[in-house]
Amino acid sequence: MASAAEKGVVPGNGIVDKPSNHSVEQTVERFKALLQAKAVTLFTLIDHSGEAERVGMKMRPTKLLIFGNPKAGTPLMLASPSIAIDLPLKVLIWEDARGKVWVSYNSPSYLQERHGLPPELLQNIAVVEGLAAKAAE
């Protein structure tokens, strides 16, 4: 069985980091196209590095996409209202100091455990794994 580190999960915080084969901008565009193809709503895109630049600071390219589907999210919130803190789902696409691009997100199993979600609802948030992997490939 693969360790947490081998799966891309940082122990203790539930964040999965997937390496991307593309620039931040290309990865963002790929992710947006995947959301559109699956009829998933992109609620907003926050350009952290752009906002830093706007106030005279430098930051490597860093963008946060916030997305979801009420048909998937509502049953989760009905089962465990605290999951609303982590919904809509989020994906962080960022560049590290070496120029490597990453796609980071909360592990669905971590969110399931954190909020006590029933196993049958895990699939409602597990979509993030496939989207992240496809955008990064």
Side-chain angles (χ1 to χ4, degrees):
M1 183 171 212
S3 71
E6 291 169 324
K7 291 180 185 175
V9 177
V10 177
N13 72 5
I15 297 174
V16 177
D17 295 313
K18 297 272 187 203
S20 177
N21 293 318
H22 311 281
S23 70
V24 167
E25 206 53 54
Q26 290 168 326
T27 306
V28 166
E29 290 307 313
R30 290 172 60 87
F31 200 89
K32 287 168 52 177
L34 290 165
L35 292 177
Q36 186 173 21
K38 295 196 176 289
V40 176
T41 302
L42 174 62
F43 293 111
T44 195
L45 187 153
I46 300 169
D47 182 356
H48 288 298
S49 48
E51 290 299 312
E53 186 177 327
R54 200 171 62 76
V55 296
M57 300 177 80
K58 285 199 167 237
M59 181 180 195
R60 294 197 173 277
T62 305
K63 298 189 179 194
L64 180 72
L65 292 88
I66 301 175
F67 62 96
N69 180 330
K71 286 184 180 180
T74 302
L76 294 165
M77 290 183 278
L78 290 171
S80 179
S82 67
I83 187 86
I85 290 171
D86 289 310
L87 293 179
L89 292 171
K90 297 158 198 73
V91 167
L92 181 66
I93 301 173
W94 58 285
E95 182 183 284
D96 70 17
R98 295 176 315 224
K100 180 70 185 149
V101 174
W102 298 90
V103 180
S104 301
Y105 58 90
N106 283 316
S107 162
S109 58
Y110 172 82
L111 292 176
Q112 178 188 24
E113 183 179 323
R114 180 177 188 202
H115 298 288
L117 295 169
E120 62 272 12
L121 290 178
L122 183 60
Q123 66 188 8
N124 292 31
I125 51 177
V127 66
V128 70
E129 295 172 315
L131 292 169
K134 196 82 169 148
E137 67 181 26

